């Protein structure tokens, strides 16, 4: 059972026999507006990573949370998804591999991947996605009503966009599948809260460990980071062995 509750009510996931309400999970309802504020209020390369990490980690131990980057409200008529906020109208002209790309498309695709990694790995013990957002669906959902002459035109999701090998939407869809497969294999959602090792707003770098997996994430659109030494991390790799890369947003 999931509780959609935003006041921080105590004992939400405590069994009724112990005086609680008995829910299994709390929805991380603060995460979608967090990401909206970041992409709307911060330029590429200037994301407030300390604030982001603090908000994603701000939850009670022993109270499982379902994390999600976007809610269904952002996909309804009158609102905007993260993909549209990041890429804008370039989605209509430059998402084909047969057309030239743009800085907004390049950063938007990369940012959408990073948002999902951080939300899944830092934000909770479960992960939720609204259908179609995993591949950056470009249009809104609008059900038949008087205001649209009872039209069915936008009462659907364009799954064909993710299936077309010539469209960049497929890259987002493939990454979403890779992210979830990696979690199935490595199980970070079942691990304890993440151990945050480094958050550097200047270098736009976040390093943390959870369930024996080392995450290194940079949000700068073009500047790489080298030379960071990470010590004392307990990973799933064999002692003394180099760490294998199991997920890369560049692929």
């Amino acid at each position: 059972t999931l509780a959609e509750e935003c006041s921080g009510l105590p004992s939400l996931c405590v069994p009724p026999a112990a005086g609680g309400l008995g829910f299994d999970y709390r929805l991380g309802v603060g995460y979608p507006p967090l990401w909206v504020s970041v992409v709307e209020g911060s330029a590429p390369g200037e994301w407030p990573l300390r604030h982001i990490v603090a908000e994603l980690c701000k939850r009670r131990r022993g109270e499982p949370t379902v994390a999600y980057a976007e809610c269904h409200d952002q996909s309804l008529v009158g609102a905007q998804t993260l993909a549209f906020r990041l890429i804008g109208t370039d989605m209509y002209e430059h998402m084909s591999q047969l057309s030239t790309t743009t800085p907004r498309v390049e950063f938007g695709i990369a940012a959408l991947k990073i948002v999902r990694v951080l939300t899944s790995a830092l934000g909770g013990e479960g992960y939720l996605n609204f259908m179609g957002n995993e591949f950056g669906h470009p249009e809104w959902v609008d059900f038949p009503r008087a205001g649209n002459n009872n039209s069915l035109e936008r009462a659907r999701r364009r799954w064909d966009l993710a299936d077309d090998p010539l469209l960049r939407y497929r890259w987002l869809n493939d990454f979403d599948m890779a992210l979830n497969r990696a979690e199935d294999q490595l199980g970070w959602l079942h691990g304890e809260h993440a151990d945050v090792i480094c958050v550097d707003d200047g270098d736009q770098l976040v390093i943390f460990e959870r369930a024996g997996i080392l995450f290194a994430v940079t949000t700068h659109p073009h500047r790489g980071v080298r030379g960071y030494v990470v010590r004392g991390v307990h990973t799933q790799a064999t002692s003394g062995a180099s760490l294998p890369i199991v997920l890369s947003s560049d692929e």
Side-chain angles (χ1 to χ4, degrees):
T1 53
L2 301 177
E4 187 174 359
E5 198 278 333
C6 58
S7 72
L9 181 69
S11 72
L12 196 67
C13 296
V14 174
L21 296 181
F23 285 94
D24 297 310
Y25 290 87
R26 172 195 293 277
L27 283 174
V29 294
Y31 298 159
L34 166 68
W35 288 118
V36 169
S37 69
V38 169
V39 302
E40 289 282 290
S42 304
E46 298 178 7
W47 281 17
L49 293 180
R50 290 182 182 275
H51 174 64
I52 293 169
V53 171
E55 290 298 307
L56 292 175
C57 292
K58 190 171 65 179
R59 62 187 191 280
R60 296 188 186 98
R61 293 183 182 273
E63 186 176 82
T65 297
V66 173
Y68 56 115
E70 300 181 79
C71 64
H72 67 281
D73 291 345
Q74 294 166 250
S75 297
L76 298 177
V77 62
Q80 292 182 340
T81 62
L82 287 182
F84 199 87
R85 292 174 191 272
L86 285 161
I87 302 174
T89 56
D90 284 11
M91 299 186 83
Y92 300 121
E93 299 287 341
H94 299 281
M95 288 298 281
S96 170
Q97 295 183 63
L98 300 179
S99 64
T100 57
T101 188
T102 69
R104 290 195 73 180
V105 169
E106 291 184 351
F107 179 73
I109 289 176
L112 287 167
K113 294 177 180 180
I114 295 304
V115 165
R116 279 149 176 76
V117 170
L118 291 177
T119 303
S120 174
L122 284 176
E125 290 67 44
Y127 182 68
L128 177 68
N129 173 73
F130 181 69
M131 58 182 183
N133 287 357
E134 70 275 12
F135 63 87
H137 197 287
E139 297 175 340
W140 57 91
V141 175
D142 191 12
F143 295 104
R145 56 189 174 86
N148 66 8
N149 294 320
N150 294 310
S151 172
L152 289 167
E153 181 183 356
R154 300 195 186 278
R156 47 85 170 113
R157 299 268 84 180
R158 291 281 309 276
W159 305 112
D160 59 297
L161 298 176
D163 294 334
D164 191 330
L166 292 179
L167 296 181
R168 295 182 171 98
Y169 296 104
R170 184 163 187 168
W171 298 353
L172 289 169
N173 194 60
D174 288 347
F175 181 79
D176 187 79
M177 288 192 292
L179 172 66
N180 285 287
R181 285 171 180 164
E183 197 290 319
D184 283 342
Q185 177 186 357
L186 300 171
W188 60 74
L189 289 174
H190 305 288
E192 295 294 326
H193 283 211
D195 179 12
V196 180
I197 299 165
C198 170
V199 184
D200 191 323
D201 282 343
D203 283 336
Q204 290 286 281
L205 178 69
V206 180
I207 300 174
F208 60 94
E209 180 268 329
R210 187 177 183 190
I213 304 114
L214 182 67
F215 294 84
V217 178
T218 178
T219 57
H220 201 282
H222 55 76
R223 189 177 68 219
V225 179
R226 295 182 181 273
Y228 272 81
V229 178
V230 181
R231 304 183 189 278
V233 177
H234 301 286
T235 70
Q236 296 183 18
T238 303
S239 177
S242 60
L243 299 181
I245 297 176
V246 296
L247 183 68
S248 172
S249 63
D250 289 337
E251 297 177 356

